[in-house]
Amino acid sequence: MMLVVVCAVLWPAPARAEEKPVDGWCATAGLDKAEASASIRLRHGGRDHTKVTARLTVHVPSSWKLAPSLLLAEDSGGYRRAMGCLTRSDESQHRWWGEWRPRGSPRVTSEKGGHLVRFDTFSWIDEHEGWFALGPWRIERGTAHWRLRFTPAPGLHRVNWTRITVDPGEPGAESARPKPVAAEGATGLVWRPKGERKPPDVTVRLKPGWQRSFAAQDDRFLFANLSSGGNLAWTGIVSGLLLVAAFRLRRRAGAGATEAASARTLSDWAWISAGAVLVFDGDTVLLRWLYALGDEDLWIGREPRIALAAAVCAAVPLLAFGRQGRYITGAGAVLAAPVLAVACQPDLFGLPDDLDISGGTPEGAFFSLLTAAFCAQTLTFLGFTAAAWRLAGEGGLIPPGRAGTPRALLLRYAGPLTLGVTAAVGACYTLATERNWQRVSWLSLRGEPAYGLGHRGELRSHLTWYTVNGQNWWLPVWVLTGLALYAVLRATGDRSAESPLAEPADRRVFLLFFPVVVGMSLGLFANNALLSPLWIFINTAALRLAASAGASRAVLGRGLDASGERLGLSVTAARRADILGRARRYREIHAKMRRLDQGQSDDDILQRRLLEQEIRGLHAWTGAGGGADRLPPQVSVVDVALSMGPRDTWWDNGRRAARFAFFVGLPASGLVVWSGWVRGDNWRASTYFGFGLPDAVSGFLAWQVCWAGAGFVLGALWRCLPGRRGPVRALPVAAAFALPAGVDALGNLYLDQGYGDVGLCVVAMLFVLTVTGIALDLDIFQDERRFWQSRFGLLLSVYQMRYFSLQLAYLVAQAVAMLTLWQFFTDTGGGPPPKEFESGGGGGGK
């Protein structure tokens, strides 16, 4: 009996299946009859970064214990547990920062014997190393090679995998393990592991094209410094050109006091703008070098404090340049005090040296850092407002006070404005941060203490990130530079009544105004801005070419019939009333002649001859020297009147056209912002990125400035542009705007990256300038408005109806072109979200 007992105890038990924690958590025994399939696809072409899309499909049997929970609401605990078993590990807290879900994913539908779960995800490969999870896949990134590994959730280790598909895109996979059993399309690989007891270890290695590999290296030392160097070089080159223009203006013979003062302001602003951008953006480059040459951990800990000090150093010069009195200066000092206090002595407020408050720091430390970040952003806004107010006043955009002196910026208006904007930006940032947390933690169980701690720590860590990167978010120096150039052009506007390109000094300033205010931000190839400064010169050359090519064919550039004298010399402000009167009489005679053509009698023929004789008299002209002459052939007095513009000088014409273009551009700005920030996946990036919504608002305002600047260029060059009607005169300026975009498109074509909204912006600019040209033509004859029931009737008279019908068809064609480009040529897939939201936490870089 003792022998039997000993043998029973020592005899090995029969083998049992290995039990894992997930088996109890997910009741995986009920998934034995489930079937699943997975696929992943990489799309390289037509975008800066490779986009990865994945799909997981699971046929869940009704016998699974958690199957009914899949039909519950997404925010229920049962749903999170059931879906987590199919898509996540056996933990209860899941935060996958690199995984994004399209709307409607996952989708659960009932079928015979169970439920069908389809889980779609997507992401981008925009870093050169590391890995991230995407559904059942693990994407491992390297500098030259990428690897795709099939790693389904532990809850799916009992299911039957019917099909696994990997499409690495062109040029295909370098290696695959195990060997695929079939091909799909040009580069797809297929496995059918049905019947295996565990998921196959599918691994695919690929070598992406150098374009996508290079674009995914923006966090590497050399790549990042080259890109930052391109951004800094743009401002440096513009500042150098400003200094040269200011020097030439001061050296010009006969320069008045106003021109000399504007030249000094332009020179001062050149130094201020270069210094502000160097501090504003250069601190990132400096810290990157310190990381590489020194103790990286040491400088990472000091980065938030350096960023706060840099915010003060960038805003103080702007306040000093603004010269807005002691109240504004005092407000700047009050705002700078808490920023410098936290940056220099964080321990006084209970803050750690690295300002990281994601841990167990006291509430007082949290509010101290929040106050410092708020004051730093407000100080930046206040400095920008002060500088913009001064430059706008010198440009005549702000009317002077009662005594004729410049109107000062009042703190009772500037203070609430800047505080309100900062509060709005902070609210948008907080809401986006919370929204992003809900995105990545959608399968985390809310009832556990770990969830609350992680949630609180994440929100706090993003405040640290805001402190570091908030001062690098917004400082549109180009707007202030455009205002400085506008002020100089205003001071020199009375020197030449015909064109700002008449004198070299004016030409230099005017040509620089175009790339700064009107030109698009181009030259970003493979996610690197190294070549972007070249577009300063490309935009300048495009405008110079458009202006010079059309000057000889302009109406006022033609020679008189007898003497050959240029027509523009005799078209002066003193003759405006006479020319407009002749133009009106010319239109009246042609209206009579059209009515006579409807019925020809002997009396009508005689009357027509008298009218023709009167038209010949209207073509008689007096040259600049007082001699008798005639208008050039094929040029009527209406053409001459339309070529003058609504005002007497190029400056006034430009200012009038800028006002029209600003209001005409409102719907165009809405369309461009909709396409760039709202349409498709762009809305997702805008609402999950902390500065996404403020970026959309600032983008709308920036495009309004662009339309107004383009209108100013059109009006200023009005007298020397070819064509007889405003829509035709708009073509050279629109071509100058489109030519740099064409050069950029060639680079995009070579790199096989997306064109973005460039085509839509070009057509929108043509539309805005066309309508602005029509508005200027109408404004020339505004004195006749009282004789017509509507402006439309006056426009019909000016364009002689047949011309207007052509212009109307032209506008309709432009609108159709905009919609076509928006629908077919605009990349609506969006770009990758900012990296701080992919990696999680507030420590990510800019």
Side-chain angles (χ1 to χ4, degrees):
M1 181 64 70
M2 291 294 296
L3 181 61
V4 173
V5 171
V6 170
C7 292
V9 173
L10 298 180
W11 194 265
R16 298 176 59 187
E18 182 183 357
E19 293 290 338
K20 299 180 180 180
V22 69
D23 293 326
W25 174 261
C26 293
T28 57
L31 291 174
D32 292 341
K33 298 181 180 180
E35 293 185 349
S37 62
S39 63
I40 188 171
R41 179 186 180 190
L42 274 63
R43 292 184 290 179
H44 306 288
R47 48 182 47 83
D48 292 347
H49 298 91
T50 296
K51 187 173 184 179
V52 188
T53 57
R55 171 172 291 182
L56 170 66
T57 303
V58 184
H59 298 267
V60 180
S62 301
S63 58
W64 184 39
K65 179 180 179 181
L66 302 181
S69 298
L70 293 172
L71 304 178
L72 300 179
E74 186 175 307
D75 58 351
S76 63
Y79 178 90
R80 291 191 177 100
R81 181 179 177 183
M83 190 60 66
C85 289
L86 302 179
T87 61
R88 295 292 189 264
S89 63
D90 56 348
E91 301 174 355
S92 59
Q93 301 295 317
H94 311 284
R95 293 192 290 273
W96 289 16
W97 297 92
E99 182 184 84
W100 293 77
R101 296 178 294 141
R103 181 176 298 179
S105 177
R107 183 184 300 274
V108 181
T109 56
S110 297
E111 61 180 8
K112 185 177 180 180
H115 309 294
L116 174 64
V117 179
R118 192 180 71 182
F119 184 40
D120 293 324
T121 54
F122 65 93
S123 189
W124 295 266
I125 301 180
D126 57 350
E127 293 184 8
H128 77 287
E129 61 183 8
W131 67 275
F132 66 94
L134 185 66
W137 300 93
R138 176 186 171 112
I139 292 89
E140 299 175 355
R141 301 164 294 199
T143 303
H145 294 86
W146 299 339
R147 184 176 284 105
L148 309 176
R149 296 179 61 90
F150 182 58
T151 57
L156 297 180
H157 73 279
R158 292 178 179 270
V159 306
N160 295 318
W161 292 95
T162 59
R163 180 184 176 93
I164 299 173
T165 306
V166 177
D167 186 356
E170 295 291 344
E174 277 197 337
S175 63
R177 192 184 73 246
K179 294 182 179 180
V181 298
E184 184 176 85
T187 58
L189 305 175
V190 180
W191 290 261
R192 296 189 179 94
K194 188 173 183 180
E196 298 184 9
R197 298 301 301 170
K198 63 177 182 178
D201 185 17
V202 174
T203 303
V204 176
R205 185 173 183 264
L206 66 141
K207 182 178 182 180
W210 70 268
Q211 301 95 331
R212 304 293 87 79
S213 177
F214 186 76
Q217 299 182 30
D218 58 350
D219 53 345
R220 299 189 67 187
F221 178 78
L222 180 60
F223 185 99
N225 283 328
L226 289 177
S227 184
S228 300
N231 290 325
L232 293 174
W234 195 96
T235 302
I237 291 173
V238 170
S239 298
L241 295 175
L242 292 179
L243 290 174
V244 172
F247 176 77
R248 296 296 185 185
L249 286 171
R250 288 196 298 266
R251 294 286 301 270
R252 183 168 62 179
T258 304
E259 292 180 79
S262 65
R264 285 194 299 271
T265 301
L266 187 65
S267 178
D268 294 342
W269 173 248
W271 293 108
I272 293 294
S273 62
V277 172
L278 184 62
V279 174
F280 201 77
D281 293 331
D283 62 332
T284 304
V285 180
L286 174 63
L287 286 167
R288 197 179 291 121
W289 278 94
L290 292 175
Y291 297 159
L293 301 177
D295 186 347
E296 182 174 355
D297 293 335
L298 173 65
W299 289 110
I300 288 178
R302 294 179 177 179
E303 182 179 0
R305 298 165 61 185
I306 295 176
L308 287 176
V312 177
C313 294
V316 167
L318 295 176
L319 279 173
F321 176 81
R323 300 177 183 176
Q324 295 303 321
R326 64 180 183 274
Y327 293 109
I328 297 294
T329 304
V334 171
L335 291 171
V339 180
L340 294 177
V342 170
C344 298
Q345 296 293 331
D347 55 306
L348 295 178
F349 306 93
L351 290 166
D353 288 341
D354 59 359
L355 303 185
D356 184 7
I357 59 174
S358 59
T361 54
E363 295 297 329
F366 172 80
F367 287 109
S368 297
L369 184 59
L370 180 63
T371 301
F374 185 88
C375 291
Q377 191 70 73
T378 306
L379 183 62
T380 301
F381 288 144
L382 184 62
F384 175 84
T385 304
W389 188 271
R390 176 190 171 184
L391 293 173
E394 294 187 4
L397 298 177
I398 299 175
R402 295 180 179 179
T405 57
R407 192 183 297 270
L409 177 63
L410 300 179
L411 182 60
R412 63 174 177 267
Y413 299 126
L417 175 63
T418 53
L419 290 173
V421 171
T422 304
V425 172
C428 291
Y429 183 87
T430 303
L431 292 175
T433 302
E434 173 63 20
R435 182 181 176 87
N436 194 61
W437 167 264
Q438 298 298 331
R439 174 187 70 87
V440 301
S441 65
W442 67 290
L443 289 179
S444 298
L445 295 184
R446 297 329 196 231
E448 298 183 359
Y451 177 82
L453 292 175
H455 189 191
R456 180 172 176 269
E458 184 63 27
L459 294 179
R460 282 189 162 212
S461 67
H462 270 287
L463 176 59
T464 305
W465 184 91
Y466 183 93
T467 304
V468 175
N469 296 278
Q471 61 95 10
N472 291 97
W473 164 63
W474 187 88
L475 186 61
V477 171
W478 65 272
V479 175
L480 301 178
T481 302
L483 288 174
L485 293 169
Y486 185 81
V488 173
L489 291 172
R490 179 190 180 223
T492 61
D494 295 333
R495 178 176 291 272
S496 174
E498 293 187 7
S499 170
L501 301 181
E503 296 191 21
D506 296 342
R507 182 189 311 130
R508 193 173 288 107
V509 177
F510 188 79
L511 292 177
L512 186 56
F513 178 87
F514 187 76
V516 170
V517 179
V518 184
M520 289 184 287
S521 298
L522 302 173
L524 187 67
F525 298 121
N527 198 35
N528 195 289
L530 177 63
L531 300 180
S532 60
L534 295 178
W535 265 254
I536 299 173
F537 305 101
I538 295 175
N539 276 282
T540 303
L543 180 62
R544 190 71 181 94
L545 177 64
S548 59
S552 60
R553 293 187 293 273
V555 171
L556 298 185
R558 300 185 182 185
L560 293 175
D561 193 24
S563 64
E565 176 187 287
R566 191 168 65 88
L567 175 59
L569 297 177
S570 58
V571 180
T572 60
R575 300 192 60 180
R576 172 175 290 272
D578 176 63
I579 294 174
L580 292 178
R582 289 186 174 211
R584 181 182 179 185
R585 181 57 185 162
Y586 180 89
R587 292 173 8 239
E588 292 172 348
I589 294 174
H590 269 273
K592 291 182 179 180
M593 293 176 66
R594 285 196 300 271
R595 290 194 295 269
L596 290 176
D597 289 339
Q598 297 176 0
Q600 288 285 349
S601 64
D602 294 340
D603 294 338
D604 293 338
I605 294 175
L606 178 61
Q607 186 177 1
R608 181 181 178 87
R609 289 181 178 178
L610 294 176
L611 293 175
E612 292 174 353
Q613 185 177 357
E614 187 174 357
I615 288 179
R616 293 190 187 96
L618 292 175
H619 280 75
W621 204 255
T622 303
D629 215 317
R630 294 189 61 80
L631 288 177
Q634 306 301 323
V635 174
S636 68
V637 288
V638 174
D639 299 334
V640 176
L642 291 174
S643 299
M644 293 189 303
R647 297 296 184 267
D648 295 330
T649 65
W650 66 264
W651 163 258
D652 290 328
N653 281 334
R655 186 174 59 176
R656 189 68 172 168
R659 181 179 301 177
F660 287 140
F662 181 86
F663 290 104
V664 172
L666 287 172
S669 296
L671 179 63
V672 173
V673 169
W674 174 270
S675 182
W677 278 272
V678 179
R679 189 176 183 229
D681 285 341
N682 295 320
W683 178 244
R684 181 177 291 106
S686 298
T687 54
Y688 287 104
F689 172 43
F691 298 115
L693 294 179
D695 270 339
V697 176
S698 63
F700 182 89
L701 298 177
W703 277 107
Q704 284 299 115
V705 174
C706 177
W707 308 134
F712 176 79
V713 172
L714 174 64
L717 297 178
W718 189 263
R719 294 171 63 94
C720 61
L721 291 175
R724 303 182 184 184
R725 303 291 183 265
V728 180
R729 288 190 175 90
L731 291 176
V733 181
F737 180 80
L739 182 60
V743 178
D744 181 78
L746 293 177
N748 292 331
L749 179 64
Y750 173 71
L751 296 176
D752 190 24
Q753 66 182 31
Y755 299 96
D757 295 329
V758 174
L760 176 65
C761 296
V762 169
V763 179
M765 176 62 76
L766 177 60
F767 184 83
V768 170
L769 293 178
T770 299
V771 178
T772 301
I774 294 175
L776 289 174
D777 285 344
L778 182 62
D779 196 47
I780 294 172
F781 296 93
Q782 190 61 31
D783 290 341
E784 299 183 28
R785 172 66 182 87
R786 69 190 69 179
F787 307 121
W788 299 89
Q789 293 182 352
S790 64
R791 289 184 175 85
F792 183 76
L794 175 59
L795 192 61
L796 293 179
S797 174
V798 171
Y799 281 172
Q800 306 288 307
M801 183 56 188
R802 60 181 182 274
Y803 295 111
F804 181 76
S805 60
L806 293 176
Q807 304 301 340
L808 183 60
Y810 185 46
L811 289 175
V812 172
Q814 289 184 26
V816 171
M818 276 197 294
L819 294 176
T820 302
L821 285 170
W822 187 20
Q823 182 69 28
F824 295 105
F825 297 104
T826 300
D827 180 12
T828 61
K835 289 187 175 59
E836 67 275 7
F837 284 156
E838 290 188 351
S839 59
K846 178 182 176 184

